[in-house]
Amino acid sequence: MDVLKNPVLKIYCDPIYENTRKITQHAKNLGVCVWGVTKGLCGSPELAKLFIEGGCAGLADSRLDNIIKQKRMGIKAKYMLIRIPMPSEISDVVEITDSALVSDVDTIIMIEQKCSALNKIYDVILMVEVGDLREGITEEAIYSNKENFKSLKQVRIAGVGANFGCFGGILPSQENLSHLIKFKRMVEEIIGYKLENMSIGGTTCIQMFYDGLLPKEINQLRVGSAMLRGSVAWEPFNWLRQDTLEFSAEWIEVARKPSKPWGIVDLDAFGKIPHFDDNGLRLRGILGAGRQDIYPEGLRSLNPGVRVLGASSDHLVCDIEEVSNTPKIGDLEAFHVNYAAMMTAATSPYVEKIYC
């Protein structure tokens, strides 16, 4: 019998499927289609299958390799690339995906040239700058490139879109969504046809969507984390499930030690000067996981007495003074994960992924 390799990220399929169904059914009632964003679990085909079975209209990912992996596993779906294509991957993007989010005019022109060679029509969602300052074309750039947009023959501007909360932390609002609607009308006037989609992404959009506060013009929602975690940051959506993911690691040392390091302080392994309070002797434990496996700031122990102090590359150091049953070497400790911890665990080759 194979021995389980620790650390482990457990992915619970039933609650993720249930979250997906709740979101897609609510969206259907509002005339909105949902694209399932799979990048949070590194483009997992198992997750892609859950999203499609749960009612998603298509699959979206930021990495072309993830989409290739899903297609090779036989996942039948429409595929969208949600990071601006790199020039070096334009040919593959056009041949492998059905659409892409793009904000750069030069990139659109490169897609047009490739599609002309293939005699293929390709859909682009034109990403608009609405304040988060990640990707997005500005009003000035739209007008200065009017002729480029008018000359497109193989690229179809299928809609306009925006992303919220991922870089600048900007939330969707009536004001910035109205700006997106204005952009849509501006682009339609320039290209001479109606746009099919108004697309928004980011888990921060979900509560506004559920409360019915999105403008009626919004008809496409790109969602991943809400279905995967049922929350934004640590704030749960009370209509979704949060029992979806669990990270566990093995205790490799348990000892009573001073709470504050001693000696000359310098930068740690990651270039920061750590700070520790002196709380006297405390029971401490080390788990066999580190920053190569998990984002330690994104962990919350299922055991309330365990407090994460920090991590090096391969060691997760915890205060366990308040734990009622002192762990022993070889015991497992389980944690809830936030988005960053989920993403790093999913990406790390050292973390076993188990779908339950």
Side-chain angles (χ1 to χ4, degrees):
M1 185 174 72
D2 292 337
V3 176
L4 182 65
K5 180 184 123 181
N6 291 312
V8 168
L9 180 68
K10 288 184 179 178
I11 301 114
Y12 295 102
C13 296
D14 285 349
I16 293 173
Y17 172 81
E18 187 177 318
N19 286 347
T20 306
R21 289 297 294 172
K22 283 184 178 178
I23 289 173
T24 57
Q25 287 298 312
H26 186 68
K28 185 178 180 181
N29 293 336
L30 298 175
V32 175
C33 70
V34 174
W35 284 67
V37 177
T38 58
K39 66 188 179 77
L41 287 182
C42 207
S44 149
E46 294 90 342
L47 176 64
K49 189 168 182 286
L50 279 175
F51 280 175
I52 292 300
E53 290 176 349
C56 289
L59 298 171
D61 206 287
S62 57
R63 308 288 175 140
L64 196 58
D65 284 350
N66 290 344
I67 295 173
I68 292 170
K69 178 169 56 178
Q70 292 165 13
K71 296 188 86 167
R72 283 178 178 167
M73 291 300 291
I75 308 294
K76 302 295 184 184
K78 291 286 187 181
Y79 287 94
M80 179 190 294
L81 185 70
I82 57 172
R83 184 176 70 180
I84 306 165
M86 295 182 285
S88 60
E89 65 182 359
I90 294 289
S91 293
D92 288 337
V93 168
V94 167
E95 293 186 22
I96 291 166
T97 68
D98 301 286
S99 59
L101 306 183
V102 185
S103 59
D104 184 84
V105 176
D106 289 339
T107 302
I108 293 174
I109 292 170
M110 284 187 277
I111 293 173
E112 169 76 11
Q113 291 168 347
K114 178 61 182 177
C115 288
S116 293
L118 296 173
N119 193 27
K120 178 178 181 177
I121 302 297
Y122 188 82
D123 284 353
V124 161
I125 300 289
L126 186 63
M127 294 297 281
V128 175
E129 182 54 71
V130 292
D132 195 60
L133 289 180
R134 197 178 76 175
E135 79 274 50
I137 194 167
T138 63
E139 190 171 328
E140 292 78 13
I142 286 284
Y143 280 116
S144 63
N145 284 280
K146 279 199 299 186
E147 296 309 313
N148 284 324
F149 282 108
K150 287 179 180 179
S151 68
L152 296 175
K153 292 182 174 58
Q154 306 301 126
V155 169
R156 186 175 76 108
I157 306 298
V160 295
N163 192 77
F164 296 95
C166 287
F167 177 71
I170 300 301
L171 297 174
S173 66
Q174 295 298 334
E175 182 180 0
N176 52 34
L177 290 174
S178 296
H179 183 65
L180 185 62
I181 294 168
K182 174 189 170 186
F183 244 96
K184 175 177 179 285
R185 292 168 182 158
M186 186 189 314
V187 173
E188 287 174 337
E189 185 178 326
I190 289 170
I191 62 178
Y193 56 85
K194 291 287 185 183
L195 301 183
E196 290 181 9
N197 301 296
M198 283 195 62
S199 176
I200 60 172
T203 303
T204 52
C205 303
I206 287 294
Q207 195 60 48
M208 197 174 180
F209 151 76
Y210 186 73
D211 291 339
L213 299 177
L214 292 178
K216 65 181 186 332
E217 290 89 348
I218 304 294
N219 62 357
Q220 186 183 95
L221 198 59
R222 309 183 311 276
V223 185
S225 183
M227 298 183 292
L228 279 167
R229 298 184 56 253
S231 61
V232 58
W234 289 112
E235 293 298 319
F237 298 117
N238 58 18
W239 52 288
L240 296 176
R241 292 178 63 174
Q242 289 80 48
D243 55 337
T244 53
L245 299 159
E246 183 182 295
F247 177 81
S248 59
E250 195 171 340
W251 292 107
I252 58 175
E253 179 186 289
V254 175
R256 190 167 295 282
K257 294 185 178 183
S259 51
K260 186 173 183 177
W262 63 91
I264 299 171
V265 177
D266 199 356
L267 302 176
D268 66 13
F270 293 88
K272 296 182 178 180
I273 297 178
H275 172 78
F276 297 93
D277 295 324
D278 190 350
N279 296 313
L281 289 173
R282 302 280 292 182
L283 192 62
R284 295 158 66 94
I286 299 176
L287 290 160
R291 290 187 181 272
Q292 286 197 92
D293 313 290
I294 196 76
Y295 179 70
E297 294 83 358
L299 294 174
R300 282 188 179 178
S301 177
L302 274 65
N303 183 346
V306 175
R307 183 165 58 92
V308 176
L309 298 174
S312 63
S313 301
D314 312 291
H315 300 77
L316 188 67
V317 183
C318 301
D319 183 295
I320 52 175
E321 183 73 28
E322 310 299 331
V323 176
S324 55
N325 294 312
T326 302
K328 301 183 296 296
I329 303 303
D331 287 349
L332 291 177
E333 195 66 42
F335 296 85
H336 293 300
V337 295
N338 71 3
Y339 179 82
M342 171 188 71
M343 181 183 63
T344 50
T347 305
S348 173
Y350 307 111
V351 176
E352 188 84 4
K353 289 79 174 176
I354 299 176
Y355 286 81
C356 308

